[in-house]
Amino acid sequence: MSAFACPNCGAARTREFFAVDGVPVHSVLLMPTREEATGFPRGDVRLVHCASCGFVANAAFDVTNNAYSTRYEETQGFSPTFNAFADRLAKRLVDEYGVRGRRVLEIGCGKGEFLERVCRFGDNQGIGVDPAYRPERTPDDVRDKVTYMQELYADRHADLRPDVVVCRHTLEHIAPTREFLRRLRGHLEARPDVLVFFELPETLRVLRECAFWDVYYEHCSYFTPGSLARLFRAEGFELLELSLDFGDQYILIMARSADGPTRPSLPLEDDLDETARLVAHFEREAPRQLEAWRARVRGWVAAGRKVAIWGSGSKAVAFLTTLGLGDEIAAMVDVNPHKQGKFMPGTGHEVLAPERLVDVRPDDVIVMNAIYTEEIRAHLQRMGLQPDLHPA
Ligand SMILES: [Zn+2]
């Protein structure tokens, strides 16, 4: 057992089950030079599991390593697959939850692409809070609908008085999860009708598939549907929806504040036993998966094959640093033009436009997110390339 107390439920002890040393503390922050990328500060991963609430956390996470800024390039908005998902989700908020003509606050809005969709589709007024916001990315047609605050969410934002609070892919970057939710609940104290929508990565899949590339330093908090629901219920929220989306990679939770703790009622909440079983599975199988990937990639290189990686985000950084690979990868490509020409923390690979693969002519392309495989296959075919694709 570890003496690390659970930041999600307060249980005194947790158990460590996976460790990686020396991973870049940010994996989405891109560097202007290779030297800065390879010299990027590193930290350790010590994944612990809380048997009481099912939460998984990095016990070695140190918040002082965080440096979210405008260099943070998290957008997936250059992928048609991702845009279709974001459109559908924003329309669901408008059509199924009646988010029309409302005041919508998005905590951790990134470049504002989702908030702007919600404002466009439902004629809403948006307020986005995020230190990584970039004003020049906001399109002219929504400038009268959205306001941005380039800062971290804090108590002073309580007086924004939103009708809807959106928080997507943010809570997994926050270590004191219970404290954060308690604070938000406090901000909504006098306003029980506020709709709260959170979206974040689903951890049962990561454990089941031994997806070690989904474990990285920036993500200090790992939720299953049940552990997320337990947190919301304990802190005084009633749940309207708990579901999976984006190829079951993301958890969606819709909630409203309640008078006190609420009781489980939704099908996905009962996952404590399954989580414990999958943690044990990951502990046993992840080291074998790591060895298998290392052998596969080194085998390709030894056979004279050229290997590329498609997708330069956190998954790629985690994939390479966890495996201890670098020079084996001939090219790293990404469809996001804001990433191209910059360098990946850790291995220092320059991120190239996919079109550069015409010169590289890879034999093997590792696809960092399997959901994009067909989109990538079509892209490669348009360039006259037919490498073997390997979804991670
Ligand atoms: Zn716990």
Side-chain angles (χ1 to χ4, degrees), residues 70 73 111 116 132-140 143 148 150 338:
T70 54
E73 190 53 64
K111 310 295 179 263
E116 289 160 13
Y133 170 69
R134 296 278 286 263
E136 71 277 15
R137 300 263 189 105
T138 298
D140 288 337
R143 281 188 189 272
Y148 289 98
Q150 216 170 323
H338 300 295

Side-chain angles (χ1 to χ4, degrees), residues 80-159:
T81 305
F82 192 81
N83 285 335
F85 165 67
D87 279 348
R88 182 166 55 75
L89 193 57
K91 284 185 177 133
R92 274 197 64 204
L93 278 182
V94 173
D95 296 337
E96 291 177 35
Y97 287 92
V99 180
R100 270 192 206 89
R102 304 291 179 85
R103 190 172 165 83
V104 180
L105 165 68
E106 184 171 4
I107 301 170
C109 63
K111 310 295 179 263
E113 295 144 315
F114 185 75
L115 183 63
E116 289 160 13
R117 280 178 164 88
V118 174
C119 291
R120 249 188 226 114
F121 296 158
D123 199 22
N124 295 295
Q125 285 293 321
I127 310 159
V129 179
D130 197 318
Y133 170 69
R134 296 278 286 263
E136 71 277 15
R137 300 263 189 105
T138 298
D140 288 337
D141 73 300
V142 289
R143 281 188 189 272
D144 60 333
K145 288 184 164 43
V146 289
T147 317
Y148 289 98
M149 306 170 89
Q150 216 170 323
E151 56 203 39
L152 286 168
Y153 184 73
D155 285 334
R156 65 179 174 282
H157 298 115
D159 58 14

Side-chain angles (χ1 to χ4, degrees), residues 4 7 25 44-48 55-63 66 68 170-177 214-223:
F4 184 78
V25 297
D44 298 333
V45 171
R46 295 282 179 273
L47 283 193
V48 297
F55 188 58
V56 170
N58 176 11
F61 180 77
D62 177 358
V63 69
N66 267 205
Y68 293 107
T170 296
L171 191 60
E172 69 272 25
H173 298 261
I174 294 171
T177 50
D214 281 322
V215 174
Y216 38 87
Y217 196 86
E218 274 180 18
H219 285 184
C220 46
S221 298
Y222 295 80
F223 284 94

Side-chain angles (χ1 to χ4, degrees), residues 81-385:
T81 305
F82 192 81
N83 285 335
F85 165 67
D87 279 348
R88 182 166 55 75
L89 193 57
K91 284 185 177 133
R92 274 197 64 204
L93 278 182
V94 173
D95 296 337
E96 291 177 35
Y97 287 92
V99 180
R100 270 192 206 89
R102 304 291 179 85
R103 190 172 165 83
V104 180
L105 165 68
E106 184 171 4
I107 301 170
C109 63
K111 310 295 179 263
E113 295 144 315
F114 185 75
L115 183 63
E116 289 160 13
R117 280 178 164 88
V118 174
C119 291
R120 249 188 226 114
F121 296 158
D123 199 22
N124 295 295
Q125 285 293 321
I127 310 159
V129 179
D130 197 318
Y133 170 69
R134 296 278 286 263
E136 71 277 15
R137 300 263 189 105
T138 298
D140 288 337
D141 73 300
V142 289
R143 281 188 189 272
D144 60 333
K145 288 184 164 43
V146 289
T147 317
Y148 289 98
M149 306 170 89
Q150 216 170 323
E151 56 203 39
L152 286 168
Y153 184 73
D155 285 334
R156 65 179 174 282
H157 298 115
D159 58 14
L160 292 172
R161 301 182 64 78
D163 303 307
V164 179
V165 174
V166 173
C167 185
R168 300 176 64 237
H169 300 274
T170 296
L171 191 60
E172 69 272 25
H173 298 261
I174 294 171
T177 50
R178 182 165 69 165
E179 183 189 314
F180 179 82
L181 214 64
R182 189 166 288 182
R183 180 177 291 196
L184 175 64
R185 176 66 186 77
H187 296 170
L188 305 178
E189 191 52 47
R191 318 204 44 233
D193 291 334
V194 174
L195 176 71
V196 175
F197 164 45
F198 275 51
E199 176 187 325
L200 50 160
E202 201 284 300
T203 303
L204 293 176
R205 180 195 59 85
V206 175
L207 297 171
R208 191 181 298 121
E209 297 177 3
C210 292
F212 59 85
W213 49 89
D214 281 322
V215 174
Y216 38 87
Y217 196 86
E218 274 180 18
H219 285 184
C220 46
S221 298
Y222 295 80
F223 284 94
T224 70
S227 61
L228 184 63
R230 283 183 276 285
L231 173 66
F232 269 76
R233 291 196 180 284
E235 295 308 318
F237 286 94
E238 185 52 86
L239 303 196
L240 309 174
E241 174 181 333
L242 181 67
S243 61
L244 304 182
D245 207 324
F246 202 62
D248 288 351
Q249 294 187 31
Y250 300 155
I251 310 172
L252 312 184
I253 191 167
M254 303 279 182
R256 282 191 211 283
S257 34
D259 291 337
T262 59
R263 302 200 50 83
S265 63
L266 301 173
L268 295 182
E269 294 187 62
D270 180 17
D271 65 6
L272 260 187
D273 292 345
E274 191 190 6
T275 305
R277 190 174 58 74
L278 289 174
V279 163
H281 163 79
F282 187 94
E283 184 173 20
R284 192 175 59 241
E285 294 297 329
R288 294 184 201 171
Q289 289 273 10
L290 287 169
E291 206 32 67
W293 267 110
R294 260 185 221 117
R296 200 174 299 150
V297 174
R298 287 186 177 141
W300 291 332
V301 173
R305 296 171 70 88
K306 274 194 181 162
V307 185
I309 290 185
W310 192 301
S312 68
S314 297
K315 288 171 191 281
V317 173
F319 184 82
L320 292 177
T321 52
T322 305
L323 290 175
L325 295 175
D327 295 343
E328 291 87 348
I329 307 303
M332 178 71 62
V333 302
D334 201 292
V335 290
N336 179 345
H338 300 295
K339 292 184 172 183
Q340 296 160 8
K342 306 224 173 58
F343 297 84
M344 278 177 59
T347 62
H349 281 94
E350 182 179 359
V351 181
L352 307 174
E355 284 59 38
R356 297 275 295 276
L357 290 180
V358 171
D359 305 320
V360 178
R361 304 204 78 77
D363 302 288
D364 297 282
V365 174
I366 299 170
V367 177
M368 282 322 306
N369 192 333
I371 205 165
Y372 298 129
T373 305
E374 291 317 310
E375 182 182 317
I376 290 168
R377 194 186 307 282
H379 199 142
L380 286 163
Q381 265 164 6
R382 287 198 298 277
M383 294 189 280
L385 297 175

Side-chain angles (χ1 to χ4, degrees), residues 6 8-11 50 52-55:
C6 177
N8 207 52
C9 76
C50 171
S52 301
C53 77
F55 188 58

